[in-house]
Amino acid sequence: MAKKAVIIGINDYAPIGAGGPDLSGCIADARDMANTLVICGFSPSDIRILTNQNATKNNIITYIKWLLTGNKSGDSLVLYYSGHGTRVANIGTDLELDGLDEAICPHDYASAGVIRDDEFKSLFKGKVKKGVSFDVFFDCCHSGSGTRKMNLGGIDGMFINETPRFIPPMLEDEFYFNFSKSIESKSTATETAEGTTTTKSLNKIPEMNHILWAGCKDNQVSMEGDISGMTRGYFTYNLCKTLRATTGNITRELLNSQIANGLSAMGAAQINQTEGKSTKLQVKIFE
């Protein structure tokens, strides 16, 4: 049974060095995630890491293809991303607005473009064999107000110099985002086949071939800030802390709850969201 992982962390956005919408905690997050996976039984030789200028759109897609190649029942796969996220309009070939896509921002997103959730679905489709454990972790924003940095020091115990991991959308995307609630109203109040509404932080979605772990709900921002003298993503900090304490011997449902409790205890203004098949959520992670 193979265990493979791709870990992506981007502090430095193009151009290299000062000038891009840079972050501070994503490399530390990637390092912590890599070390945590080793504690949970992953071999260092089966973990691939992309950071900063190496984390281009082309390289990310290439590494994902490596991750999914040759998987078989019993294998455990992990895709982890720490960096900026955004939302973009999805315009169909008939020029009708089909909705809004969540997207991650590679190092070279300004020239190469973002990677949309539709692209991830295309990469995953038909590539994950039955019986394979596939966990996808995104510690980034899927929406937000467009504010890049906020100083919340001294307000109800919030951390100093918190930064949302969010890239403001372009005007054409921002326009649709402002009206997204009415555009997407047909789906936000519906229930899944397993009776769980899409507003829950633990969503049971029968057709998914992977488990999606998001650092925040789609109307929130994932934050990073100072934790014991080091800038860290709040979601990843709590994720790795729990995995290390249990050496991965924990069900996904319980892990989801422990992360939520940790975020609440530290006063983080975000709620993690986990989606996947109920049968996968009820068993131990990485199995």
Side-chain angles (χ1 to χ4, degrees):
M1 295 184 292
K3 290 188 173 183
K4 298 168 62 179
V6 169
I7 295 176
I8 304 157
I10 309 174
N11 282 343
D12 186 9
Y13 281 85
I16 297 173
D22 296 342
L23 291 165
S24 301
C26 301
I27 302 301
D29 286 350
R31 180 183 295 109
D32 195 8
M33 189 66 185
N35 291 331
T36 297
L37 288 180
V38 172
I39 292 172
C40 293
F42 286 70
S43 170
S45 63
D46 291 324
I47 298 174
R48 300 288 186 270
I49 299 174
L50 285 170
T51 60
N52 291 342
Q53 64 266 32
N54 291 328
T56 62
K57 181 175 182 178
N58 182 68
N59 283 348
I60 290 172
I61 291 173
T62 297
Y63 274 49
I64 291 174
K65 290 179 178 178
W66 167 84
L67 178 68
L68 298 177
T69 297
N71 65 81
K72 57 186 182 300
S73 180
D75 289 351
S76 179
L77 310 177
V78 169
L79 173 62
Y80 171 85
Y81 171 81
S82 178
H84 274 304
T86 190
R87 297 189 87 182
V88 291
N90 183 0
I91 305 295
T93 56
D94 55 358
L95 300 184
E96 290 291 332
L97 179 66
D98 297 327
L100 293 172
D101 287 342
E102 283 76 28
I104 69 166
C105 302
H107 166 79
D108 58 346
Y109 80 94
S111 58
V114 299
I115 304 179
R116 302 167 181 249
D117 53 9
D118 286 347
E119 293 179 79
F120 281 110
K121 291 174 186 175
S122 178
L123 286 168
F124 298 166
K125 187 176 181 180
K127 300 297 191 300
V128 183
K129 297 297 194 316
K130 185 177 181 180
V132 171
S133 170
F134 184 22
D135 291 273
V136 179
F137 300 88
F138 286 159
D139 194 348
C140 61
C141 301
H142 296 283
S143 62
S145 64
T147 302
R148 292 187 180 181
K149 294 189 177 182
M150 295 179 288
N151 189 333
L152 303 178
I155 302 177
D156 297 329
M158 295 298 288
F159 296 91
I160 296 175
N161 294 325
E162 291 187 316
T163 303
R165 293 178 168 178
F166 175 69
I167 294 291
M170 296 175 65
L171 173 59
E172 51 267 43
D173 299 315
E174 181 182 8
F175 174 81
Y176 296 120
F177 174 73
N178 290 336
F179 291 94
S180 63
K181 293 305 178 184
S182 59
I183 293 171
E184 298 177 336
S185 61
K186 61 181 180 297
S187 63
T188 54
T190 59
E191 294 192 350
T192 70
E194 297 191 21
T196 303
T197 64
T198 57
T199 58
K200 298 289 187 182
S201 61
L202 187 68
N203 294 334
K204 300 172 182 177
I205 302 178
E207 67 274 13
M208 283 186 68
N209 63 358
H210 62 283
I211 304 297
L212 174 63
W213 302 79
C216 63
K217 291 189 174 184
D218 60 7
N219 62 343
Q220 297 177 327
V221 291
S222 272
M223 305 293 290
E224 64 173 39
D226 185 279
I227 299 176
S228 301
M230 179 179 291
T231 302
R232 293 296 311 280
Y234 298 160
F235 168 74
T236 298
Y237 172 79
N238 286 284
L239 165 67
C240 291
K241 181 180 178 181
T242 304
L243 286 176
R244 286 195 307 273
T246 61
T247 62
N249 186 27
I250 186 173
T251 67
R252 291 185 176 92
E253 284 186 335
L254 183 55
L255 176 59
N256 175 79
S257 297
Q258 291 295 325
I259 295 170
N261 291 341
L263 287 169
S264 177
M266 65 195 297
Q270 65 191 77
I271 299 173
N272 56 299
Q273 184 162 298
T274 307
E275 300 177 352
K277 292 181 179 179
S278 61
T279 53
K280 292 286 188 180
L281 294 170
Q282 293 165 5
V283 300
K284 292 179 182 179
I285 195 170
F286 310 140
E287 291 187 358

